[in-house]
Short mmCIF file of all heavy atoms in Angstrom, two decimals:
data_model
loop_
_atom_site.label_atom_id
_atom_site.label_comp_id
_atom_site.label_asym_id
_atom_site.label_seq_id
_atom_site.Cartn_x
_atom_site.Cartn_y
_atom_site.Cartn_z
N PHE J 48 -8.22 -19.56 14.84
CA PHE J 48 -7.44 -18.40 15.25
C PHE J 48 -5.99 -18.58 14.92
O PHE J 48 -5.33 -17.70 14.29
CB PHE J 48 -7.65 -18.13 16.71
CG PHE J 48 -6.71 -17.13 17.32
CD1 PHE J 48 -6.88 -15.76 17.10
CD2 PHE J 48 -5.66 -17.55 18.08
CE1 PHE J 48 -6.01 -14.84 17.68
CE2 PHE J 48 -4.76 -16.61 18.67
CZ PHE J 48 -4.91 -15.29 18.46
N MET J 49 -5.39 -19.76 15.31
CA MET J 49 -3.96 -19.99 15.01
C MET J 49 -3.72 -20.06 13.52
O MET J 49 -2.66 -19.61 13.02
CB MET J 49 -3.51 -21.25 15.73
CG MET J 49 -3.46 -21.16 17.26
SD MET J 49 -2.35 -19.82 17.84
CE MET J 49 -0.79 -20.39 17.14
N LEU J 50 -4.61 -20.65 12.81
CA LEU J 50 -4.49 -20.78 11.34
C LEU J 50 -4.38 -19.36 10.73
O LEU J 50 -3.45 -19.05 9.95
CB LEU J 50 -5.72 -21.46 10.79
CG LEU J 50 -5.89 -21.43 9.24
CD1 LEU J 50 -4.85 -22.27 8.58
CD2 LEU J 50 -7.27 -21.93 8.86
N ARG J 51 -5.23 -18.47 11.16
CA ARG J 51 -5.25 -17.11 10.62
C ARG J 51 -4.00 -16.33 11.07
O ARG J 51 -3.35 -15.66 10.23
CB ARG J 51 -6.52 -16.39 11.09
CG ARG J 51 -6.66 -14.99 10.54
CD ARG J 51 -7.93 -14.32 11.01
NE ARG J 51 -7.90 -13.94 12.42
CZ ARG J 51 -8.54 -14.63 13.39
NH1 ARG J 51 -9.32 -15.65 13.09
NH2 ARG J 51 -8.47 -14.18 14.65
N ARG J 52 -3.67 -16.45 12.35
CA ARG J 52 -2.55 -15.64 12.83
C ARG J 52 -1.25 -16.07 12.24
O ARG J 52 -0.44 -15.19 11.88
CB ARG J 52 -2.54 -15.76 14.35
CG ARG J 52 -3.71 -15.15 15.05
CD ARG J 52 -3.77 -13.66 14.80
NE ARG J 52 -2.91 -12.91 15.66
CZ ARG J 52 -2.59 -11.62 15.54
NH1 ARG J 52 -3.03 -10.96 14.49
NH2 ARG J 52 -1.83 -11.02 16.41
N VAL J 53 -0.97 -17.33 12.15
CA VAL J 53 0.36 -17.78 11.59
C VAL J 53 0.46 -17.34 10.13
O VAL J 53 1.57 -16.86 9.73
CB VAL J 53 0.47 -19.31 11.71
CG1 VAL J 53 1.70 -19.78 10.91
CG2 VAL J 53 0.62 -19.68 13.12
N ARG J 54 -0.62 -17.37 9.39
CA ARG J 54 -0.54 -16.90 8.03
C ARG J 54 -0.35 -15.40 7.89
O ARG J 54 0.31 -14.88 6.99
CB ARG J 54 -1.77 -17.41 7.23
CG ARG J 54 -1.72 -18.92 7.19
CD ARG J 54 -2.81 -19.53 6.29
NE ARG J 54 -2.76 -21.00 6.46
CZ ARG J 54 -3.27 -21.83 5.58
NH1 ARG J 54 -3.93 -21.37 4.54
NH2 ARG J 54 -3.25 -23.12 5.81
N GLU J 55 -0.94 -14.66 8.88
CA GLU J 55 -0.71 -13.23 8.86
C GLU J 55 0.77 -12.88 9.18
O GLU J 55 1.38 -12.06 8.56
CB GLU J 55 -1.60 -12.57 9.95
CG GLU J 55 -3.08 -12.53 9.60
CD GLU J 55 -3.90 -12.04 10.77
OE1 GLU J 55 -3.33 -11.72 11.83
OE2 GLU J 55 -5.15 -11.94 10.59
N PHE J 56 1.29 -13.62 10.20
CA PHE J 56 2.70 -13.37 10.56
C PHE J 56 3.66 -13.68 9.48
O PHE J 56 4.71 -13.05 9.36
CB PHE J 56 3.04 -14.17 11.85
CG PHE J 56 2.27 -13.78 13.07
CD1 PHE J 56 1.99 -14.72 14.09
CD2 PHE J 56 1.82 -12.46 13.22
CE1 PHE J 56 1.25 -14.37 15.18
CE2 PHE J 56 1.12 -12.09 14.35
CZ PHE J 56 0.83 -13.08 15.36
N ARG J 57 3.32 -14.68 8.66
CA ARG J 57 4.25 -15.05 7.60
C ARG J 57 4.39 -13.92 6.55
O ARG J 57 5.40 -13.90 5.82
CB ARG J 57 3.77 -16.26 6.87
CG ARG J 57 3.97 -17.55 7.64
CD ARG J 57 3.64 -18.78 6.82
NE ARG J 57 3.76 -20.00 7.61
CZ ARG J 57 2.91 -20.98 7.63
NH1 ARG J 57 1.78 -20.91 6.89
NH2 ARG J 57 3.11 -22.04 8.35
N LYS J 58 3.45 -13.02 6.50
CA LYS J 58 3.45 -11.93 5.58
C LYS J 58 4.07 -10.66 6.16
O LYS J 58 4.36 -9.71 5.45
CB LYS J 58 2.09 -11.58 5.07
CG LYS J 58 1.36 -12.74 4.33
CD LYS J 58 -0.05 -12.35 3.94
CE LYS J 58 -0.67 -13.52 3.20
NZ LYS J 58 -2.12 -13.16 2.88
N THR J 59 4.30 -10.70 7.49
CA THR J 59 4.71 -9.46 8.16
C THR J 59 5.95 -9.62 9.06
O THR J 59 6.60 -8.60 9.31
CB THR J 59 3.55 -8.87 8.98
OG1 THR J 59 3.11 -9.87 9.96
CG2 THR J 59 2.36 -8.56 8.09
N LYS J 60 6.18 -10.79 9.59
CA LYS J 60 7.21 -10.95 10.62
C LYS J 60 8.47 -11.61 9.97
O LYS J 60 8.35 -12.56 9.23
CB LYS J 60 6.78 -11.83 11.75
CG LYS J 60 5.45 -11.37 12.39
CD LYS J 60 5.60 -10.16 13.29
CE LYS J 60 4.28 -9.86 14.01
NZ LYS J 60 4.36 -8.63 14.78
N PRO J 61 9.65 -11.14 10.34
CA PRO J 61 10.90 -11.75 9.81
C PRO J 61 11.27 -12.99 10.65
O PRO J 61 12.28 -13.03 11.35
CB PRO J 61 11.98 -10.63 10.00
CG PRO J 61 11.48 -9.87 11.22
CD PRO J 61 9.93 -9.91 11.13
N ILE J 62 10.46 -14.02 10.50
CA ILE J 62 10.68 -15.30 11.19
C ILE J 62 10.01 -16.35 10.39
O ILE J 62 8.93 -16.13 9.81
CB ILE J 62 10.22 -15.24 12.67
CG1 ILE J 62 10.61 -16.52 13.39
CG2 ILE J 62 8.68 -15.00 12.74
CD1 ILE J 62 10.34 -16.45 14.91
N PHE J 63 10.56 -17.57 10.35
CA PHE J 63 9.98 -18.69 9.58
C PHE J 63 9.12 -19.47 10.56
O PHE J 63 9.60 -20.07 11.53
CB PHE J 63 11.09 -19.55 9.01
CG PHE J 63 10.59 -20.77 8.26
CD1 PHE J 63 9.70 -20.62 7.22
CD2 PHE J 63 10.96 -22.05 8.60
CE1 PHE J 63 9.21 -21.70 6.46
CE2 PHE J 63 10.48 -23.16 7.90
CZ PHE J 63 9.66 -22.97 6.85
N LEU J 64 7.78 -19.46 10.35
CA LEU J 64 6.81 -20.13 11.23
C LEU J 64 6.20 -21.29 10.59
O LEU J 64 5.84 -21.29 9.36
CB LEU J 64 5.75 -19.12 11.67
CG LEU J 64 6.18 -17.91 12.49
CD1 LEU J 64 5.01 -16.99 12.74
CD2 LEU J 64 6.83 -18.34 13.79
N LEU J 65 6.03 -22.39 11.36
CA LEU J 65 5.32 -23.57 10.91
C LEU J 65 4.21 -23.91 11.86
O LEU J 65 4.34 -23.73 13.08
CB LEU J 65 6.31 -24.80 10.81
CG LEU J 65 7.51 -24.64 9.94
CD1 LEU J 65 8.72 -24.25 10.80
CD2 LEU J 65 7.83 -25.98 9.27
N ASP J 66 3.15 -24.46 11.34
CA ASP J 66 2.05 -24.95 12.22
C ASP J 66 1.75 -26.40 11.78
O ASP J 66 1.22 -26.66 10.70
CB ASP J 66 0.76 -24.09 11.99
CG ASP J 66 -0.38 -24.48 12.88
OD1 ASP J 66 -0.51 -25.67 13.26
OD2 ASP J 66 -1.18 -23.62 13.22
N PHE J 67 2.15 -27.34 12.66
CA PHE J 67 2.22 -28.78 12.21
C PHE J 67 0.94 -29.30 11.69
O PHE J 67 0.93 -30.14 10.80
CB PHE J 67 2.69 -29.59 13.46
CG PHE J 67 3.12 -30.93 13.11
CD1 PHE J 67 4.31 -31.15 12.39
CD2 PHE J 67 2.40 -32.07 13.46
CE1 PHE J 67 4.73 -32.40 12.05
CE2 PHE J 67 2.83 -33.36 13.14
CZ PHE J 67 4.01 -33.54 12.45
N TRP J 68 -0.21 -28.85 12.21
CA TRP J 68 -1.51 -29.33 11.73
C TRP J 68 -2.10 -28.43 10.66
O TRP J 68 -2.54 -28.88 9.60
CB TRP J 68 -2.53 -29.50 12.87
CG TRP J 68 -2.31 -30.78 13.61
CD1 TRP J 68 -3.02 -31.97 13.42
CD2 TRP J 68 -1.39 -31.05 14.65
NE1 TRP J 68 -2.53 -32.92 14.25
CE2 TRP J 68 -1.56 -32.41 15.05
CE3 TRP J 68 -0.38 -30.30 15.29
CZ2 TRP J 68 -0.76 -33.02 16.01
CZ3 TRP J 68 0.39 -30.90 16.26
CH2 TRP J 68 0.18 -32.24 16.59
N ASN J 69 -2.09 -27.11 10.89
CA ASN J 69 -2.79 -26.22 10.00
C ASN J 69 -2.03 -25.99 8.68
O ASN J 69 -2.54 -25.38 7.75
CB ASN J 69 -2.98 -24.87 10.65
CG ASN J 69 -4.16 -24.95 11.69
OD1 ASN J 69 -5.03 -25.80 11.61
ND2 ASN J 69 -4.10 -24.06 12.67
N ASP J 70 -0.80 -26.52 8.58
CA ASP J 70 -0.06 -26.34 7.33
C ASP J 70 -0.18 -27.53 6.36
O ASP J 70 0.54 -27.67 5.43
CB ASP J 70 1.41 -26.05 7.63
CG ASP J 70 1.68 -24.62 8.05
OD1 ASP J 70 0.76 -23.82 7.83
OD2 ASP J 70 2.77 -24.36 8.58
N GLY J 71 -1.13 -28.42 6.62
CA GLY J 71 -1.32 -29.57 5.75
C GLY J 71 -1.56 -29.18 4.32
O GLY J 71 -1.21 -29.91 3.40
N GLU J 72 -2.15 -28.00 4.10
CA GLU J 72 -2.43 -27.51 2.80
C GLU J 72 -1.22 -27.40 1.94
O GLU J 72 -1.26 -27.57 0.73
CB GLU J 72 -3.12 -26.18 2.91
CG GLU J 72 -3.39 -25.46 1.60
CD GLU J 72 -4.04 -24.10 1.81
OE1 GLU J 72 -4.33 -23.72 2.96
OE2 GLU J 72 -4.24 -23.39 0.80
N PHE J 73 -0.04 -27.06 2.53
CA PHE J 73 1.13 -26.82 1.80
C PHE J 73 2.00 -28.02 1.55
O PHE J 73 2.99 -27.98 0.82
CB PHE J 73 1.98 -25.76 2.55
CG PHE J 73 1.19 -24.51 2.84
CD1 PHE J 73 0.87 -24.13 4.12
CD2 PHE J 73 0.79 -23.69 1.81
CE1 PHE J 73 0.09 -23.01 4.40
CE2 PHE J 73 0.06 -22.53 2.09
CZ PHE J 73 -0.27 -22.15 3.38
N VAL J 74 1.63 -29.10 2.23
CA VAL J 74 2.46 -30.36 2.02
C VAL J 74 1.58 -31.56 1.59
O VAL J 74 1.99 -32.69 1.66
CB VAL J 74 3.23 -30.75 3.34
CG1 VAL J 74 4.34 -29.70 3.60
CG2 VAL J 74 2.24 -30.79 4.50
N GLY J 75 0.33 -31.23 1.18
CA GLY J 75 -0.53 -32.29 0.70
C GLY J 75 -1.09 -33.23 1.73
O GLY J 75 -1.29 -34.39 1.48
N GLY J 76 -1.33 -32.70 2.94
CA GLY J 76 -1.87 -33.50 4.01
C GLY J 76 -0.87 -34.01 4.99
O GLY J 76 0.20 -33.43 5.20
N CYS J 77 -1.16 -35.13 5.59
CA CYS J 77 -0.29 -35.77 6.61
C CYS J 77 1.06 -36.17 6.03
O CYS J 77 1.14 -36.72 4.94
CB CYS J 77 -1.00 -37.04 7.17
SG CYS J 77 0.06 -37.99 8.25
N ILE J 78 2.15 -35.78 6.70
CA ILE J 78 3.47 -36.12 6.18
C ILE J 78 4.13 -37.33 6.90
O ILE J 78 5.28 -37.68 6.63
CB ILE J 78 4.46 -34.92 6.38
CG1 ILE J 78 4.62 -34.54 7.85
CG2 ILE J 78 3.89 -33.71 5.62
CD1 ILE J 78 5.67 -33.56 8.12
#
């Protein structure tokens, strides 16, 4: 649910959102 919602908000809300676990796709896994 959080994965889906954060990605929806990134397309619609004027705020920069990060999801520490679910955003692994964008940084190649664990940082």
Side-chain angles (χ1 to χ4, degrees):
F48 167 78
M49 290 301 300
L50 169 71
R51 182 179 72 255
R52 294 297 278 166
V53 170
R54 296 187 185 199
E55 288 174 359
F56 294 151
R57 285 187 185 136
K58 297 177 181 178
T59 57
K60 308 285 188 186
I62 186 170
F63 179 55
L64 297 176
L65 304 96
D66 185 329
F67 195 70
W68 278 264
N69 286 336
D70 281 346
E72 175 182 357
F73 305 111
V74 290
C77 172
I78 64 171

